[in-house]
Amino acid sequence: MSTAVPACEWEPGVIYPVVDLKRCEGKGDCERVCPENVFEVKRIDEQDYRSLGVLHRFKLRVHGFKVAYTPNVDACRSCGLCVTACPEHAITLAKC
């Protein structure tokens, strides 16, 4: 039995992934499954960290201050692999 890879639905730049930093634990599943290399897991930016409440800051501390960012967001073709791979349900797809 073969596993089919979902076909990309859109041209790059029409749909983009949105990462909820309050939910993201920086596990990197999105980075591993993305065929377009949209994601990068790295230490949370200071400004983003400061914008979070105390509970979410503590959660990030426990998870090593790592979150997913989308430096190559314009390459997203809306395959949805990141959405299904994220164990925290921290990623949604939005239309530009």
Side-chain angles (χ1 to χ4, degrees), residues 4-19:
V5 175
C8 294
E9 306 262 331
W10 299 89
E11 291 299 314
V14 175
I15 301 288
Y16 63 96
V18 177
V19 179

Side-chain angles (χ1 to χ4, degrees), residues 20-37:
D20 182 347
L21 297 179
K22 292 178 180 176
R23 296 183 72 107
C24 182
E25 295 178 0
K27 293 179 179 166
D29 295 356
C30 56
E31 190 176 37
R32 283 187 289 280
V33 301
C34 181
E36 306 299 331
N37 297 313

Side-chain angles (χ1 to χ4, degrees), residues 58-72:
F58 177 74
K59 180 181 169 184
L60 279 171
R61 182 178 297 272
V62 169
H63 293 285
F65 297 101
K66 300 283 184 183
V67 294
Y69 282 102
T70 56
N72 301 317

